[in-house]
Amino acid sequence: MARSSPYFCRLTTVTLLLSLSSAGCYSTHHQRFDPNASLDSLTGITTRSGTEITFSRPGARIAHDTLFASGTVGPLKVSTDSVAQVTSHGFSKGNSLVVIGAFGAAALAVLFISLGSSHGGT
């Protein structure tokens, strides 16, 4: 078996690093609306009628039973009675474990291929 070229090894390393960072350890979380919970990391809401509204930047505030945020087309004002769910983007332990496991498996595969190539396939 022919030795791997340095170019191929670099390309593999860059690909692994890019996929690790792009796969991300973050995911979108949907949860029932609780007016007493922190609204700092919200990225959107779903109304009781099923309409999804995204925010242009994370965070919202409540004043006088009304939710205020920056919508994608301007200021957003929604009655808290019509909010069913809130959406936030946060850290996901499960996704992180999958990404780390895949990275480790790929690194082991590259190591075994490299070892096999350096020993002439024996």
Side-chain angles (χ1 to χ4, degrees):
M1 184 174 196
R3 285 187 176 219
S4 298
S5 70
Y7 174 76
F8 177 75
C9 291
R10 285 189 206 120
L11 181 64
T12 302
T13 303
V14 169
T15 302
L16 287 172
L17 290 173
L18 286 176
S19 57
L20 177 64
S21 64
S22 67
C25 297
Y26 289 86
S27 65
T28 301
H29 302 281
H30 301 282
Q31 58 193 9
R32 185 173 285 163
F33 174 62
D34 178 9
N36 298 322
S38 173
L39 305 174
D40 294 337
S41 63
L42 294 186
T43 58
I45 61 169
T46 303
T47 63
R48 294 198 187 280
S49 65
T51 304
E52 292 186 16
I53 302 171
T54 57
F55 300 162
S56 61
R57 61 178 174 242
R61 65 182 177 85
I62 294 179
H64 307 292
D65 294 330
T66 304
L67 184 133
F68 295 92
S70 295
T72 53
V73 292
L76 176 67
K77 188 166 90 171
V78 179
S79 171
T80 55
D81 292 343
S82 63
V83 179
Q85 286 187 336
V86 293
T87 305
S88 61
H89 192 72
F91 185 75
S92 172
K93 291 179 187 176
N95 286 357
S96 299
L97 291 174
V98 168
V99 169
I100 291 169
F103 182 71
L108 282 175
V110 169
L111 177 67
F112 286 136
I113 291 170
S114 175
L115 287 174
S117 296
S118 66
H119 287 72
T122 59

